[in-house]
Amino acid sequence: MIGNDILGIVGIITGVIIFISTVGFVYFMLSAYKHGSIKDTNKFFGSYMFNNPKRYILAFSFLVIAAVLLAIAFIASFIASFFINPLSIWEILSSATLIALAAFFVVFTSMDHPKAFINYIKFLKNKK
């Protein structure tokens, strides 16, 4: 029972992290759309990704890890359904998948270092 509580807390925390990162990214995209141009946004993203390639390789590696964990969860729970209750496999692997997805969203949207995005939004707003 304690394991389920821990997995539930992990799910809530990762859900909140994904939600905050997504809201921040949507705010950034809407600000870039409202105050800038597609060319400016592409230039910013291109230069940021070019100057921080390890960050984006890390982000997409977390996405690959999440996809692999989800695939393993499907396969293992299907096989386990013949022998045991597959719910325990889903609880563990889905929590690991959520953690990997949360890491992807945090690293990709740079919510761990939001200063660059905030500076860019300020630049767009002052540009007009």
Side-chain angles (χ1 to χ4, degrees):
M1 255 339 195
I2 294 174
N4 288 342
D5 295 340
I6 293 171
L7 293 175
I9 291 170
V10 167
I12 290 170
I13 291 171
T14 54
V16 168
I17 290 171
I18 290 172
F19 179 75
I20 291 170
S21 299
T22 305
V23 166
F25 189 68
V26 167
Y27 173 73
F28 169 74
M29 294 307 274
L30 289 175
S31 296
Y33 172 75
K34 184 177 178 185
H35 300 290
S37 66
I38 292 173
K39 187 176 180 182
D40 290 337
T41 306
N42 286 339
K43 236 190 283 185
F44 173 77
F45 269 120
S47 66
Y48 195 77
M49 289 176 82
F50 183 72
N51 291 325
N52 300 288
K54 290 180 183 174
R55 171 179 292 272
Y56 290 97
I57 289 171
L58 179 66
F60 284 105
S61 66
F62 279 121
L63 191 61
V64 169
I65 289 169
V68 168
L69 287 172
L70 196 58
I72 291 171
F74 274 111
I75 294 166
S77 65
F78 179 74
I79 293 170
S81 66
F82 295 110
F83 309 108
I84 59 170
N85 184 2
L87 190 58
S88 59
I89 293 172
W90 267 113
E91 289 171 345
I92 295 167
L93 289 174
S94 64
S95 294
T97 302
L98 279 176
I99 291 168
L101 282 176
F104 164 75
F105 275 105
V106 167
V107 174
F108 185 77
T109 60
S110 294
M111 297 318 288
D112 59 327
H113 185 66
K115 189 175 181 181
F117 286 124
I118 292 170
N119 287 340
Y120 180 68
I121 291 170
K122 287 178 185 175
F123 164 75
L124 288 176
K125 288 181 178 179
N126 293 333
K127 188 178 165 184
K128 293 243 170 190

